[in-house]
Amino acid sequence: MPLIGYARVSTEDQTPLPQSEALQSAGCAEIFEEHASGGNRARPVLARVLERVQSGDTLVVVRIDRLARSLSHLLEVIERLEAKGAFFRSLQDPIDTASPQGKFTLQVLGAAAEFERALIRERTKAGLASARSKGRVGGNPGLRAKDPAALRKVRLARQDGYMERLNETAQDWVPHVRRLRPDMAWEDLLRIINGPLPHDRHWTQSRLLRAVRACVRDGFLPDEVLGRAGRRETDDRLPAIVAAIKGANPEITLQAICDRLESMRERTPRGRANWQPSSVKMLLERAERLGLLKSAHQQQS
């Protein structure tokens, strides 16, 4: 079972070396180090680690607080790992989601978090009711007065919340954007992203562009992905799409590519709705001659 280590320190003055040595002793083949505050959920290195983890891998940290500073963030990360068939282990805490004991500990933590949220909701409701009975109006005085500092603080908090929500779906679209832009037009990229997703998780072009711009602004994606796509010959469009699907999953079968193209409502070169493996094979060969498959692999690596 591949072990992937993650070490974090808060400032540049600190060194992650002790953590990295402990992770190496635990058998981690890869170790990622990051200098960032634990209160910041949108950490570039952590985002790359969660994108890198595959089914069967185990993300290992020395202590829980190196990964998350809140229970909600910890559970969020573990849920993302479980969705990919991966596991989580903390060397100095009794959590190893690959073992029954670790899963039980996680369930207890989840129940405690839900109980804590319920208590907070009840206390908040009681406090608001008490304030209203005394004639006090709730809300932020700075916002009511349109204080610039208060408005900026709220705007930054909303941006942080937006980035957290994007982080939950990053595995669906970030790898495709990083690999295929700006070589592929947004319309075709959107069809590739939405192809394997259920309908309720489909992206619109405007929503995807907003997400990409936010990630570029925060340094999670390079500026180049927002560049203008080069004009592609009509005959090269289908080979480019097939090459992109193949590049995302080199082990994918011809029939699976057929299914993906049909889910994207792509027509065959002859205008038919149903795809055959022979047509896909022909397009893959053309993509290879055009150098599209090689480019997809290089971008993936």
Side-chain angles (χ1 to χ4, degrees), residues 81-96:
L81 292 172
E82 289 183 338
K84 300 181 73 171
F87 306 98
F88 171 72
R89 180 189 305 171
S90 173
L91 299 181
Q92 298 183 12
D93 302 289
I95 295 184
D96 182 352

Side-chain angles (χ1 to χ4, degrees), residues 31-130:
I31 298 175
F32 295 82
E33 299 179 349
E34 183 159 45
H35 291 78
S37 169
N40 179 16
R41 297 192 180 191
R43 293 174 236 151
V45 175
L46 179 58
R48 289 201 302 270
V49 172
L50 294 178
E51 182 182 322
R52 156 71 179 81
V53 169
Q54 300 177 353
S55 177
D57 291 347
T58 298
L59 178 62
V60 185
V61 296
V62 174
R63 297 191 311 275
I64 290 177
D65 66 349
R66 297 301 87 196
L67 178 67
R69 296 290 288 273
S70 68
L71 185 54
S72 62
H73 188 205
L74 173 64
L75 295 175
E76 174 188 315
V77 171
I78 294 177
E79 286 176 1
R80 286 192 58 183
L81 292 172
E82 289 183 338
K84 300 181 73 171
F87 306 98
F88 171 72
R89 180 189 305 171
S90 173
L91 299 181
Q92 298 183 12
D93 302 289
I95 295 184
D96 182 352
T97 60
S99 69
Q101 296 85 352
K103 289 183 179 179
F104 175 74
T105 302
L106 190 61
Q107 291 172 352
V108 172
L109 289 174
E114 181 58 34
F115 180 65
E116 181 183 13
R117 286 192 291 268
L119 289 178
I120 292 173
R121 285 195 296 268
E122 291 301 320
R123 286 197 295 267
T124 301
K125 290 179 182 178
L128 291 173
S130 175

Side-chain angles (χ1 to χ4, degrees), residues 48-297:
R48 289 201 302 270
V49 172
L50 294 178
E51 182 182 322
R52 156 71 179 81
V53 169
Q54 300 177 353
S55 177
D57 291 347
T58 298
L59 178 62
V60 185
V61 296
V62 174
R63 297 191 311 275
I64 290 177
D65 66 349
R66 297 301 87 196
L67 178 67
R69 296 290 288 273
S70 68
L71 185 54
S72 62
H73 188 205
L74 173 64
L75 295 175
E76 174 188 315
V77 171
I78 294 177
E79 286 176 1
R80 286 192 58 183
L81 292 172
E82 289 183 338
K84 300 181 73 171
F87 306 98
F88 171 72
R89 180 189 305 171
S90 173
L91 299 181
Q92 298 183 12
D93 302 289
I95 295 184
D96 182 352
T97 60
S99 69
Q101 296 85 352
K103 289 183 179 179
F104 175 74
T105 302
L106 190 61
Q107 291 172 352
V108 172
L109 289 174
E114 181 58 34
F115 180 65
E116 181 183 13
R117 286 192 291 268
L119 289 178
I120 292 173
R121 285 195 296 268
E122 291 301 320
R123 286 197 295 267
T124 301
K125 290 179 182 178
L128 291 173
S130 175
R132 283 193 296 269
S133 68
K134 297 177 182 178
R136 293 200 300 268
V137 179
N140 188 321
L143 292 181
R144 290 200 301 270
K146 295 185 178 180
D147 177 66
L151 293 172
R152 180 177 180 276
K153 186 176 181 180
V154 171
R155 184 174 66 254
L156 292 176
R158 287 176 178 172
Q159 289 177 357
D160 288 343
Y162 178 59
M163 293 305 297
E164 289 179 14
R165 294 193 298 274
L166 286 184
N167 195 40
E168 296 174 357
T169 62
Q171 69 275 7
D172 294 336
W173 57 277
V174 168
H176 294 295
V177 172
R178 182 176 288 123
R179 191 180 70 255
L180 300 176
R181 286 290 305 167
D183 294 331
M184 180 171 286
W186 288 109
E187 295 84 353
D188 291 332
L189 175 63
L190 191 68
R191 294 158 76 86
I192 290 173
I193 291 173
N194 286 335
L197 298 178
H199 185 73
D200 59 349
R201 289 173 56 192
H202 276 195
W203 291 77
T204 63
Q205 185 167 326
S206 60
R207 181 169 162 242
L208 179 63
L209 280 170
R210 181 192 174 199
V212 172
R213 290 191 184 105
C215 288
V216 169
R217 181 195 65 219
D218 283 11
F220 296 122
L221 286 171
D223 295 341
E224 290 75 15
V225 300
L226 291 174
R228 182 181 296 273
R231 180 171 297 180
R232 187 179 296 280
E233 297 293 334
T234 303
D235 291 343
D236 294 348
R237 180 177 171 275
L238 281 176
I241 292 175
V242 172
I245 297 173
K246 181 73 172 178
N249 180 10
E251 304 301 323
I252 194 171
T253 64
L254 294 177
Q255 184 58 54
I257 296 178
C258 290
D259 297 339
R260 181 72 61 82
L261 291 169
E262 290 177 6
S263 71
M264 294 166 58
R265 299 184 182 276
E266 283 289 346
R267 293 282 179 170
T268 69
R270 295 186 178 183
R272 296 173 181 170
N274 297 323
W275 283 81
Q276 299 297 325
S278 58
S279 298
V280 172
K281 183 178 180 181
M282 176 188 68
L283 289 173
L284 285 174
E285 292 172 350
R286 176 169 174 76
E288 190 170 359
R289 290 196 299 271
L290 293 171
L292 300 174
L293 277 178
K294 181 179 179 181
S295 175
H297 284 304

Side-chain angles (χ1 to χ4, degrees), residues 8-14 19 34-38 66 69:
R8 181 191 64 80
V9 291
S10 298
T11 67
E12 294 292 339
D13 296 335
Q14 298 173 310
Q19 296 179 52
E34 183 159 45
H35 291 78
S37 169
R66 297 301 87 196
R69 296 290 288 273

